[in-house]
Amino acid sequence: VQLQAFGEGLVQAGGSLRLSCAASGSIRAIYTMRWYRQAPGKQRELVAAITSSGIRNYADSVKGRFIISRDNNKNTVYLEMNSLKPEDTAVYHCNAFLTFTGASYASHYWGQGTLVTVSS
């Protein structure tokens, strides 16, 4: 099972960027999918999460600006980031809690980090 993230970029403050993360491999079921971020010198923080039924949760710092969505047919999670601020600059990581074919329990899988830089 692999998660691959796309959408790395440099954007000016106030701009928008969209990240995507696709899971591939022998997947039986994907439960919650999440985006985390880690800024230089800071701890990793949860940005947004979406369950398999579409229930969403956001960090207070991104509420009203970021939108998480998923396409279950494509095993892909998206993060639409609007009104970006310099403090949104970080490496963003996607995470999926899933079960692969033949497994009896779910595990967390991580995509590679993708760098988002917001200039002031």
Side-chain angles (χ1 to χ4, degrees), residues 34-93:
R34 299 175 174 91
W35 286 97
Y36 289 82
R37 68 185 181 186
Q38 186 166 20
K42 294 189 176 181
Q43 289 190 331
R44 185 177 64 189
E45 65 169 337
L46 176 63
V47 175
I50 183 168
T51 68
S52 56
S53 58
I55 297 172
R56 297 170 172 87
N57 281 293
Y58 297 94
D60 287 343
S61 59
V62 306
K63 277 181 184 175
R65 300 189 298 121
F66 289 13
I67 300 172
I68 188 170
S69 61
R70 63 190 283 173
D71 183 333
N72 291 329
N73 292 324
K74 296 181 179 180
N75 291 337
T76 299
V77 63
Y78 304 94
L79 185 67
E80 182 179 338
M81 304 182 291
N82 302 306
S83 301
L84 282 161
K85 305 174 181 179
E87 51 263 43
D88 294 317
T89 295
V91 176
Y92 286 71
H93 297 268

